[in-house]
Amino acid sequence: MSEQIDPQNTPVDFDPDAMRARYRQERDKRIRQDGNEQYIEMSGDFSHFVDDPYIETAIEREPLIEDVEVLLVGGGFGGLQAGARLRDAGIEDIRIVEKGGDFGGTWYWNRYPGAACDIESYIYLPLVEELGKIPSEKYARAKEILSHARAIGEHYDLYRGAIFQTEVTGMTWDDEAQRWLVATNRGDTLRARFVAMANGPLHRPKLPGIAGIQDFEGHTFHTSRWDYEYTGGGPDGGLNKLADKRVAVIGTGATAIQCVPYVGETAEHLYVFQRTPSSVDIRGNTPTDPDWAKSLEPGWHRERMENFNALVSGVPQAQDLVADGWTDLIGKTMRLFQEAAQNTEAGAPSVAELLEAANFEKMNEIRALVDEKVGDAEVAESLKPYYQMFCKRPCFNDQYLPTFNRPSVDLIDTDGQGVERITSKGIVVAGREYEVDCIIFATGFEVGTSYARRAGYEIVGRTGETLTEYWSKGLRTLHGLQSHGFPNCFIMSGSQGAFTANYPHLLEECSTHIAHILSHARAHGFTTIEPSKAAEQEWVETIIQKADSGLGGLGGKECTPGYYNNEGQENPLAKQASSYGGGSIRFFKILKEWRETGEYEGLEFGRPA
Ligand code: NDP
């Protein structure tokens, strides 16, 4: 096994067996019986954590009672991309209901210092060619991404019909009227012919259920509701009000990796409470070269998105247009995977062996980087991730690791156990109390809970059954987008759809598909669209069959717990809720070919009753 590893990157004392044992040990000590239940829902006593700190003027208005052709839930990229493609299809009567004060979704909420995309912005930002936009940097910052979201809203005239600061509270199908009755927290009744739900996969912040969390008397907030009034400064840093504050950040996921350097720069003292270290690779951000931007030919955006998607799916390309940590990380592994699959010689290493070797090699590189960047050997050791590379979301940042060289910054490694207790004055780990003035929760978003809970409302279908009830024995959709018994309703999520590191690419494909189906319905005077039970069943079976053919290691049960693997707990319904195991390229092709046949196979269309 070890001879498959590139000797250049192999530490002298590297022993694959010992490493396997170490990975297993790191996993085992983190497994907890309470799984997703360890987190607290931000409601009741905790609901203030989700108050919107960014609203400048609270909207006062009378409840709306009206008919609408298409209602989109969510004004993030999903709602905006769907809105754009529906406009392209000539649909004028669109309402977007958005709980924030403006468009932007993830980028409306996540304004913490250092927030930026870490999928290259030239492919991450949607509709850039349509808007004539070239992002200013390889990895654009949150502010620029948010203003692009607003620009999409302007360009496609989606502000007309948008209702902000409004949350959907329920959705019920009225079979007689052939419309969805959509209720909101503003008392609105919107009668929508079609609905598309673009709630976002990671939008409901969560808190850790740490004993004593309510006892803390200092200041607290979640990273997705950054309190600049308290910290001073802005998304580019300069958090000057922290100069006399002792601050705790709980969590070391992708969000913490980005904001910790800025908090560490100004806080009188910063304690970073770590349960599991992230893998932090080189970022290498650069400003956009204007000559390169001028050289781009029409169609460049799609070509670049597809090039990236192909490389991270292991499909060789003549050129790596994006050439970043993702194409290096996934591309290398997938190439090895495919080469091995073709090597049928006796004694050739198996696919699993080669994948593991590539994984060890990459993680050795990541661990070596920690030693290079962090002065104190003990701190460096604590910051090293000991798990396979796709157990946790890989991070890319050049400032995070060196932050721990600051004398005013301490890493409090909880050895996989998490914070023990919160008191009125601070945080307790291993029996020692760290007194702080402020706790910042960088503890992420709900993933493993039910769709309705994360959406914040229930959907009642044709038979009176809720979507939660319908999916209680496993997710059921056609192409991840529609469910039988829930006519005229589209769900924009990756479950039973595709997994791609570049999420807006998936949203683009879903938007095109939805707009195509709705155009057909309008052109023929159909007022209902519903997948047949048989077509849905066939897709469910395809998903289950293909569920095991993915990357391997991505959220596998051998992984340290986290939201990629349902906190390490067996979930008998997980296979059925997974994305299409044949990969996103194949999935997008399935959708395209389905559209091109013009047969709308598996969908049943109805006319006015
Ligand atoms: P995550 O869920 O990734 O991280 C939450 C962190 O909180 C983890 O380190 C977790 O530890 C820790 N934690 C939870 N409970 C406790 C506890 N009791 N004590 C101590 N620590 C605890 O959330 P993020 O907001 O960081 O990221 C969520 C996702 O958002 C990312 O995975 C990514 O997909 C996306 N994102 C994308 C960005 C980008 O594109 N630039 C930037 C930021 C986020 P443990 O790992 O042990 O569970």
Side-chain angles (χ1 to χ4, degrees), residues 326-339:
W326 292 96
T327 56
D328 180 49
L329 200 70
I330 311 182
K332 202 193 274 173
T333 315
M334 287 305 283
R335 267 194 306 282
L336 276 169
F337 178 87
Q338 295 195 335
E339 277 162 28

Side-chain angles (χ1 to χ4, degrees), residues 112 116 118 251-255 258 275-276 392-393 418-419 442-444 563:
Y112 58 81
D118 40 44
T252 50
T255 298
Q258 292 188 328
R275 189 163 70 178
T276 310
K392 298 260 169 204
R393 203 255 197 197
V419 165
T443 43
Y563 78 82

Side-chain angles (χ1 to χ4, degrees), residues 283-355:
R283 183 170 183 79
N285 197 10
T286 46
T288 301
D289 172 1
D291 291 334
W292 168 79
K294 271 192 224 129
S295 75
L296 295 168
E297 302 278 348
W300 71 268
H301 185 235
R302 175 156 282 276
E303 188 197 343
R304 202 172 175 92
M305 278 200 309
E306 287 178 354
N307 178 266
F308 173 86
N309 201 36
L311 282 163
V312 297
S313 307
V315 180
Q317 300 290 293
Q319 210 188 341
D320 180 353
L321 294 170
V322 172
D324 68 353
W326 292 96
T327 56
D328 180 49
L329 200 70
I330 311 182
K332 202 193 274 173
T333 315
M334 287 305 283
R335 267 194 306 282
L336 276 169
F337 178 87
Q338 295 195 335
E339 277 162 28
Q342 279 156 18
N343 186 355
T344 50
E345 279 172 34
S350 70
V351 169
E353 282 173 327
L354 275 173
L355 265 180

Side-chain angles (χ1 to χ4, degrees), residues 177-435:
Q178 297 186 331
R179 284 179 182 270
W180 285 98
L181 301 182
V182 181
T184 75
N185 63 347
R186 300 274 190 161
D188 306 314
T189 305
L190 304 163
R191 294 182 292 248
R193 177 71 74 201
F194 302 102
V195 295
M197 301 187 288
N199 311 87
L202 293 160
H203 95 279
R204 202 173 167 80
K206 64 178 162 46
L207 287 174
I210 300 168
I213 190 167
Q214 275 174 293
D215 299 341
F216 185 63
E217 287 170 2
H219 196 71
T220 55
F221 58 89
H222 186 271
T223 47
S224 67
R225 306 289 189 274
W226 195 272
D227 188 349
Y228 282 109
E229 230 166 80
Y230 181 83
T231 65
D236 293 329
L239 312 176
N240 55 330
K241 290 191 187 170
L242 294 183
D244 58 354
K245 302 283 189 301
R246 297 156 305 169
V247 182
V249 170
I250 299 184
T252 50
T255 298
I257 301 305
Q258 292 188 328
C259 70
V260 155
Y262 292 90
V263 180
E265 199 172 75
T266 46
E268 178 189 301
H269 204 94
L270 168 63
Y271 298 99
V272 179
F273 290 86
Q274 171 183 279
R275 189 163 70 178
T276 310
S278 281
S279 72
V280 188
D281 207 346
I282 293 162
R283 183 170 183 79
N285 197 10
T286 46
T288 301
D289 172 1
D291 291 334
W292 168 79
K294 271 192 224 129
S295 75
L296 295 168
E297 302 278 348
W300 71 268
H301 185 235
R302 175 156 282 276
E303 188 197 343
R304 202 172 175 92
M305 278 200 309
E306 287 178 354
N307 178 266
F308 173 86
N309 201 36
L311 282 163
V312 297
S313 307
V315 180
Q317 300 290 293
Q319 210 188 341
D320 180 353
L321 294 170
V322 172
D324 68 353
W326 292 96
T327 56
D328 180 49
L329 200 70
I330 311 182
K332 202 193 274 173
T333 315
M334 287 305 283
R335 267 194 306 282
L336 276 169
F337 178 87
Q338 295 195 335
E339 277 162 28
Q342 279 156 18
N343 186 355
T344 50
E345 279 172 34
S350 70
V351 169
E353 282 173 327
L354 275 173
L355 265 180
E356 190 195 38
N359 217 311
F360 277 145
E361 183 177 315
K362 186 68 213 178
M363 291 308 276
N364 280 339
E365 238 174 80
I366 295 283
R367 289 184 284 264
L369 200 61
V370 182
D371 282 327
E372 204 181 289
K373 303 239 170 161
V374 178
D376 184 301
E378 204 180 317
V379 177
E381 194 48 39
S382 292
L383 285 163
K384 290 179 190 169
Y386 285 96
Y387 46 77
Q388 290 201 22
M389 69 179 158
F390 296 110
C391 288
K392 298 260 169 204
R393 203 255 197 197
C395 299
F396 306 91
N397 195 289
D398 301 326
Q399 283 82 40
Y400 179 74
L401 294 171
T403 297
F404 295 95
N405 294 329
R406 288 179 183 275
S408 57
V409 177
D410 281 321
L411 178 75
I412 310 301
D413 183 10
T414 66
D415 193 28
Q417 302 311 296
V419 165
E420 190 176 304
R421 200 154 37 89
I422 294 182
T423 66
S424 61
K425 291 200 188 122
I427 294 181
V428 180
V429 170
R432 179 173 163 195
E433 183 177 21
Y434 299 85
E435 287 194 9

